[in-house]
Amino acid sequence: MIFGATGDLAKRKLFPSIYRLYERGRLEKFAVVGVARRSITNDEFQQSIKDSVESALGKKENLDEFVSHFYYQSHDASDSDSYVALKDFANQIDEQYQLEGNRIFYLAMAPEFFGPIALHLKSDGLTDVKGYKRLIIEKPFGHNLASAKELNNQIRTAFSEEEIYRIDHYLGKEMVRNIEVIRFANAIFEPLWNNRYISNIQITSSEVLGVEERGRYYENSGALRDMVQNHMLQMVALLAMEPPIKLTTDEIRSEKVRVFRALRMIEGDKVNEYFVRGQYAEGTINNELVPKYRDEPMVAPDSNTETFVAAKVKIDNFRWAGVPFYIRTGKRMAEKTTKIVVQFKDIPMNLYYQTDKMLNPNLLVIHIQPDEGITLHLNAKKAGGHLDAQEVKLSFANTGSDAMNTPEGYEKLLFDCMRGDATNFTHWDEVAYSWAFVDKISAVWQNTDTNFPNYPSGSMGPKEADELLEKDGFFWWPVTDLDVEVCK
Ligand code: BG6
């Protein structure tokens, strides 16, 4: 049951993903009830699904059969009668398709409805099923720790923690899921994965697009809440966690939670030392002049909302003491890319010089998007030379070997939920710790002046983001130089 079935997310991501699962034979007995306020007919709804699948995946032969599993219910989210009608309809569909009372509720709508809908699902009997009941809930999960707690209390009245699947779509990305395998399945990495051998880790998630039509939401969110609280900190946790004793949901999540517990809390005067914020000015992207953030629709002309964040994150535990994790994310940057660079320490004594400079440190680059792969930067002898060293790169590109088979993140997440595997969804404890961390930063930012806008569109952010690393003796590895090379 998808709440918000006429919305953007349903059209762009959910319907194509359900289709892909269907096409791969992963849906045997299924029906989808689309729920939204608008009053449209079943036929119109089914047509919108065909359109969404075709625009995402191209022409498909079996669409009529596929969309015959979809039904539409016009719904008023605050009215009990509406839920009672939905319940009767769902029971009828359940019988018709022999669904054995298994039910997934997907909340793909404005966050202010999350809590009230969950309460109604319980009080109006939709969660009274003899099979399983699960709730998938989109971000944002609250706006700060207090509102996240309130929301959590509301949904916990109807669903237990095991039944709640909080989406962080980065956890559906192929290469984000690969982090743990790269780390824990390779004897050459795990022994080096600590403060004795790693000097710093850099995570960049940059976007070229601006805030587009989402000004209203973004004004109250900013890059800190929109990207750092969830996606960026999730990647930090996966890079920093201890090996789980088993690959079960509970074990993996509890290792991640231990990382969140070890995050160094940055507050008060320290915020300026560890965090940099930015807001885009106008600039040129792909030869086009784009407006500054303050000129975007539904954005205040004197807005202090940050569209860029860079930070030094410290994890105070035995493995990571002394190793900075630098993160940066922003809109209207030079490139759309997500990359992780693990920089190893310099060898104790350099015997081999490249002709005109020092040896490069070893890097392990994990390419999350748009390229998917890993690159290991090593030093080796230059062919034919005396003992000159040069940098060589060993690359593996997912796109090179399996181009068409990398499933959409949402497809994987939906499939996980159907199988009852919550590993790649965020547990309440992770949400709570990450809000507690982020709230301390927003508290300072809310009360201090800014010099916005402070980076031109099409750049890699404000100069303070570079200085953040420079004062520790590092620099951001330029993302453009790190592209994965696909062997032809
Ligand atoms: C979303 C944010 O969670 O992630 C957006 O709300 C952002 O503002 C998006 O654009 C980035 O996701 P991706 O998968 O394109 O990196």
Side-chain angles (χ1 to χ4, degrees):
M1 201 172 284
I2 301 178
F3 288 80
T6 52
D8 205 42
L9 179 78
K11 285 189 194 145
R12 277 190 307 115
K13 301 283 185 191
L14 303 184
F15 300 145
S17 300
I18 298 172
Y19 178 80
R20 297 261 296 213
L21 290 170
Y22 170 78
E23 198 179 33
R24 288 169 200 268
R26 286 179 160 168
L27 298 176
E28 260 174 58
K29 289 186 270 177
F30 79 103
V32 179
V33 182
V35 182
R37 196 171 35 190
R38 215 175 290 171
S39 126
I40 55 170
T41 64
N42 251 358
D43 285 350
E44 286 168 325
F45 182 53
Q46 293 183 348
Q47 186 56 46
S48 76
I49 287 151
K50 284 185 190 168
D51 295 344
S52 111
V53 172
E54 292 199 326
S55 84
L57 305 171
K59 199 108 202 90
K60 295 287 175 187
E61 294 300 319
N62 51 1
L63 270 185
D64 283 330
E65 212 291 309
F66 174 67
V67 300
S68 71
H69 292 255
F70 285 72
Y71 300 85
Y72 185 75
Q73 283 278 297
S74 161
H75 180 78
D76 176 350
S78 57
D79 173 24
S80 269
D81 292 346
S82 213
Y83 288 88
V84 172
L86 191 56
K87 176 176 122 185
D88 293 342
F89 185 66
N91 289 344
Q92 178 195 322
I93 293 282
D94 193 309
E95 218 161 276
Q96 185 180 334
Y97 285 86
Q98 300 166 4
L99 304 177
E100 297 167 30
N102 295 326
R103 209 166 273 182
I104 297 177
F105 302 92
Y106 198 123
L107 305 191
M109 52 195 317
E112 61 265 29
F113 293 111
F114 293 165
I117 291 180
L119 293 174
H120 272 291
L121 290 177
K122 164 101 177 156
S123 61
D124 297 318
L126 275 126
T127 51
D128 278 340
V129 285
K130 63 177 190 319
Y132 63 68
K133 61 176 194 311
R134 293 177 189 148
L135 179 77
I136 307 186
I137 186 160
E138 273 293 331
K139 67 172 277 244
F141 198 90
H143 180 71
N144 51 23
L145 181 57
S147 57
K149 269 187 185 156
E150 190 186 330
L151 171 59
N152 204 48
N153 290 341
Q154 287 173 325
I155 62 178
R156 284 295 303 275
T157 56
F159 297 89
S160 67
E161 178 61 33
E162 290 68 46
E163 293 170 330
I164 301 170
Y165 291 72
R166 297 179 194 81
I167 292 248
D168 182 313
H169 79 283
Y170 268 55
L171 299 181
K173 292 187 191 286
E174 188 62 27
M175 287 307 294
V176 172
R177 291 187 175 202
N178 209 339
I179 294 174
E180 83 174 62
V181 184
I182 293 167
R183 287 191 51 196
F184 302 133
N186 289 301
I188 60 165
F189 291 137
E190 190 43 34
L192 306 183
W193 211 263
N194 55 50
N195 50 11
R196 263 170 294 156
Y197 299 101
I198 290 180
S199 78
N200 72 89
I201 295 185
Q202 305 177 7
I203 310 175
T204 299
S205 193
S206 56
E207 294 187 74
V208 171
L209 290 178
V211 71
E212 300 187 285
E213 304 307 314
R214 295 166 73 219
R216 194 193 309 269
Y217 152 77
Y218 201 83
E219 274 286 85
N220 292 315
S221 154
L224 185 68
R225 295 185 170 104
D226 189 48
M227 291 290 291
V228 176
Q229 180 268 335
N230 38 57
H231 314 319
M232 303 302 283
L233 289 180
Q234 282 293 325
M235 288 190 280
V236 169
L238 289 167
L239 287 162
M241 70 191 244
E242 295 298 314
I245 53 172
K246 272 194 251 140
L247 283 186
T248 57
T249 304
D250 285 351
E251 294 301 342
I252 294 176
R253 282 169 151 190
S254 80
E255 292 306 341
K256 282 169 70 190
V257 169
R258 283 153 57 96
V259 175
F260 285 109
R261 286 172 49 200
L263 281 184
R264 182 180 301 173
M265 285 287 180
I266 308 300
E267 52 194 309
D269 296 344
K270 288 276 174 209
V271 169
N272 274 341
E273 212 181 293
Y274 284 75
F275 274 76
V276 171
R277 58 182 155 160
Q279 186 191 75
Y280 58 85
E282 63 174 24
T284 314
I285 294 189
N286 298 329
N287 295 325
E288 258 183 50
L289 189 66
V290 295
K292 59 176 184 289
Y293 176 71
R294 288 178 175 179
D295 284 346
E296 299 277 17
M298 285 173 296
V299 168
D302 57 350
S303 169
N304 271 339
T305 300
E306 77 287 350
T307 60
F308 173 97
V309 175
K312 171 159 76 170
V313 175
K314 289 303 240 352
I315 298 165
D316 291 325
N317 64 16
F318 234 74
R319 186 187 282 261
W320 293 114
V323 181
F325 284 65
Y326 299 107
I327 57 175
R328 66 176 163 171
T329 181
K331 299 212 179 270
R332 285 285 191 229
M333 293 174 66
E335 240 195 291
K336 167 76 183 168
T337 187
T338 304
K339 280 189 176 51
I340 296 166
V341 181
V342 180
Q343 178 175 340
F344 291 90
K345 287 192 171 163
D346 290 335
I347 45 174
M349 192 174 115
N350 278 351
L351 294 174
Y352 307 98
Y353 288 89
Q354 285 174 279
T355 328
D356 52 357
K357 54 178 183 159
M358 301 286 285
L359 281 181
N360 277 314
N362 293 130
L363 304 179
L364 174 68
V365 184
I366 305 178
H367 308 263
I368 308 285
Q369 64 185 16
D371 315 321
E372 296 184 353
I374 48 178
T375 312
L376 186 59
H377 293 225
L378 305 171
N379 294 300
K381 188 173 109 44
K382 209 176 202 162
H386 175 51
L387 276 178
D388 294 345
Q390 67 172 359
E391 189 182 50
V392 295
K393 297 180 194 171
L394 306 186
S395 285
F396 161 69
N398 251 359
T399 32
S401 59
D402 202 9
M404 300 319 292
N405 269 332
T406 312
E408 255 292 340
Y410 272 93
E411 178 189 340
K412 280 186 273 173
L413 293 170
L414 277 170
F415 189 55
D416 284 353
C417 176
M418 283 191 268
R419 290 186 301 130
D421 180 354
T423 314
N424 289 305
F425 294 81
T426 39
H427 187 275
W428 165 245
D429 292 346
E430 297 169 58
V431 175
Y433 280 114
S434 53
W435 273 128
F437 177 77
V438 155
D439 281 355
K440 296 247 186 307
I441 315 302
S442 357
V444 172
W445 282 356
Q446 259 158 24
N447 297 317
T448 44
D449 288 339
T450 59
N451 58 341
F452 287 168
N454 61 350
Y455 69 97
S457 290
S459 70
M460 284 309 280
K463 64 176 187 342
E464 289 82 358
D466 296 332
E467 290 162 6
L468 181 73
L469 274 68
E470 279 158 19
K471 58 188 186 204
D472 295 342
F474 301 123
F475 59 87
W476 292 104
W477 290 94
V479 286
T480 36
D481 295 355
L482 297 172
D483 282 348
V484 67
E485 283 153 26
V486 180
C487 301
K488 298 261 163 42

